[in-house]
Amino acid sequence: MVDIIIPAYNCSKTLPRTLGSIVAQTKSEKCIVTVVDDCSTEDLKPIIDSFKPYIKINYIKLEKNLKYPGLVRQVGLDNTIAPYVMFLDADDVLAPSAVQILNNEMLKKTYDLIVGFFYRQEEYGNLVIMGENDTTWLHGNIYRRSFLEGNNIRFPSGYNEDGAFNTQCYMLSSKIGMLNIPVYYWLYNKKSIRTK
């Protein structure tokens, strides 16, 4: 099983598309989705409930705004238990076979994590493939939970938490796989923290 953790904040316009990409997975039954709502002013629960007939999905509504996506992801990590973990932003989507491809690779070898290639959408719609020189991001990666927990790898407070989290992984593991198939779409959103 794979935990897919989605930090969410006022994303009612994009979250259905994101969750739809999980429903469309060739191995959607392997996915357990956890949406961690960082005190949105929008009501995201009806969206979550509408997907319950199609995927295993949990909803955590935080009582205090944590501000930083890494801290919100950490809440998801601390409240899930599947042996493998992926992260998906609430305005992005997974390629249809992403979970199956990454899960199969993790089962073949004893990797601690696999870095997946991903597409990055530019402002006017062009897609750029991000690969082995773009390992800062969480996009398209899968992590072995026992490795993260055994090494106490956690998200820090602040921005660029992807880089800080992955740097810990790269420093503490010699068992890192590289998958040269794009499995994630980082979609352009002018309102996202990354774009701002």
Side-chain angles (χ1 to χ4, degrees), residues 3-181:
D3 276 316
I4 300 177
I5 296 169
I6 303 174
Y9 179 77
N10 286 352
C11 54
S12 61
K13 291 183 179 170
T14 60
L15 186 59
R17 178 183 63 197
T18 299
L19 295 174
S21 78
I22 299 170
V23 173
Q25 289 298 302
T26 52
K27 289 289 183 181
S28 64
E29 71 278 4
K30 295 277 186 193
C31 304
I32 305 170
V33 181
T34 300
V35 176
V36 184
D37 184 347
D38 195 21
C39 295
S40 294
T41 57
E42 301 174 346
D43 185 5
L44 301 181
K45 191 163 186 322
I47 296 171
I48 307 297
D49 289 345
S50 72
F51 278 88
K52 285 187 175 180
Y54 310 105
I55 52 176
K56 298 177 189 90
I57 187 165
N58 303 305
Y59 178 61
I60 299 172
K61 172 84 172 183
L62 300 180
E63 294 180 8
K64 177 184 176 188
N65 181 271
L66 298 180
K67 184 179 177 183
Y68 299 111
L71 297 180
V72 180
R73 289 186 184 104
Q74 189 62 53
V75 170
L77 265 177
D78 292 342
N79 287 279
T80 55
I81 59 169
Y84 305 113
V85 181
M86 295 176 67
F87 301 98
L88 177 59
D89 286 349
D91 55 357
D92 294 338
V93 296
L94 293 174
S97 298
V99 171
Q100 181 176 6
I101 292 167
L102 290 164
N103 199 26
N104 286 348
E105 287 299 308
M106 286 298 265
L107 293 172
K108 278 186 206 171
K109 303 200 175 162
T110 55
Y111 290 126
D112 293 323
L113 69 140
I114 295 175
V115 178
F117 285 18
F118 61 94
Y119 293 104
R120 179 177 56 83
Q121 184 182 40
E122 297 178 328
E123 183 175 359
Y124 298 105
N126 296 334
L127 290 176
V128 177
I129 295 179
M130 309 294 279
E132 58 191 30
N133 296 322
D134 302 293
T135 57
T136 298
W137 314 103
L138 302 169
H139 309 323
N141 296 356
I142 189 168
Y143 302 83
R144 187 179 300 277
R145 182 182 296 276
S146 60
F147 164 71
L148 297 176
E149 291 178 350
N151 289 282
N152 197 29
I153 297 172
R154 299 179 65 82
F155 284 97
S157 179
Y159 296 112
N160 195 23
E161 76 289 346
D162 298 48
F165 185 86
N166 279 331
T167 297
Q168 294 175 76
C169 293
Y170 301 150
M171 290 177 66
L172 294 168
S173 178
S174 59
K175 297 185 286 186
I176 301 170
M178 181 74 70
L179 183 71
N180 61 358
I181 302 168

